[in-house]
Amino acid sequence: MDQVLGQVLRNAVWERLDMLTDLANRADAQSLVSVARSELPRLTEAWRAMLKMHEPDERGDCPTCSTRWHRCKAPCSVWQVAHEHLVAGGLAPQQSTADSRLQGRRKSPVPVHPAPTAAETTGRHALVNPRRAVTA
């Protein structure tokens, strides 16, 4: 049941992000201002909450990314992604440190949206995957 609930939550988040991207790309100026006023505070609070969970502890480790057997030194990948997208986003695109480490192990590039899992092929979005839907 936890896996199903997790998939429902992930689908809802992906749909919301897709909707906001579509609005940013297609909405008129007045609609963009309205969306920005309502959504930017929500997005910044979400980033703050996530980053707070990844604040380094007194040893300089990320308490969320660290395990009992492997300590993850700050800045963890969450902080690196935050910096890349929120601070350095206006600069020329760069491959993140985590992406470059993983790229050496992969044969093909990472898809923007991961391939559907077994959980995604059942339930609410079994017939239509909004990330792959073709509109006429």
Side-chain angles (χ1 to χ4, degrees), residues 17-28 32:
L17 291 172
D18 289 343
M19 183 267 304
L20 291 171
T21 299
D22 287 343
L23 279 171
N25 291 330
R26 299 178 190 179
D28 58 83
L32 283 174

Side-chain angles (χ1 to χ4, degrees), residues 2 11-12 16 18 23 25 27 39-40 42 48 53 56 61 63 66 71 82 84 96 99 111 117 123 126 130 134:
D2 288 339
N11 283 345
R16 183 67 170 201
D18 289 343
L23 279 171
N25 291 330
E39 294 299 322
L40 281 175
R42 292 169 47 128
R48 284 185 178 105
M53 293 181 349
D61 297 330
S66 295
R71 305 307 300 170
E84 181 178 327
S96 73
D99 287 345
T117 64
V134 177

Side-chain angles (χ1 to χ4, degrees), residues 84 87-95:
E84 181 178 327
V87 178
L91 304 175
Q94 296 177 341
Q95 192 174 29

Side-chain angles (χ1 to χ4, degrees), residues 112-136:
V112 173
H113 297 291
T117 64
E120 287 180 320
T121 59
T122 61
R124 183 171 163 233
H125 298 289
L127 300 176
V128 178
N129 185 334
R131 296 185 298 264
R132 291 185 175 77
V134 177
T135 56

Side-chain angles (χ1 to χ4, degrees), residues 17-71:
L17 291 172
D18 289 343
M19 183 267 304
L20 291 171
T21 299
D22 287 343
L23 279 171
N25 291 330
R26 299 178 190 179
D28 58 83
Q30 186 177 0
S31 298
L32 283 174
V33 169
S34 176
V35 169
R37 285 190 177 130
S38 66
E39 294 299 322
L40 281 175
R42 292 169 47 128
L43 291 171
T44 56
E45 282 306 308
W47 271 106
R48 284 185 178 105
M50 184 170 41
L51 292 172
K52 188 174 182 178
M53 293 181 349
H54 293 268
E55 245 339 279
D57 62 16
E58 63 280 348
R59 293 176 292 186
D61 297 330
C62 173
T64 305
C65 295
S66 295
T67 67
R68 181 184 306 183
W69 299 279
H70 173 72
R71 305 307 300 170

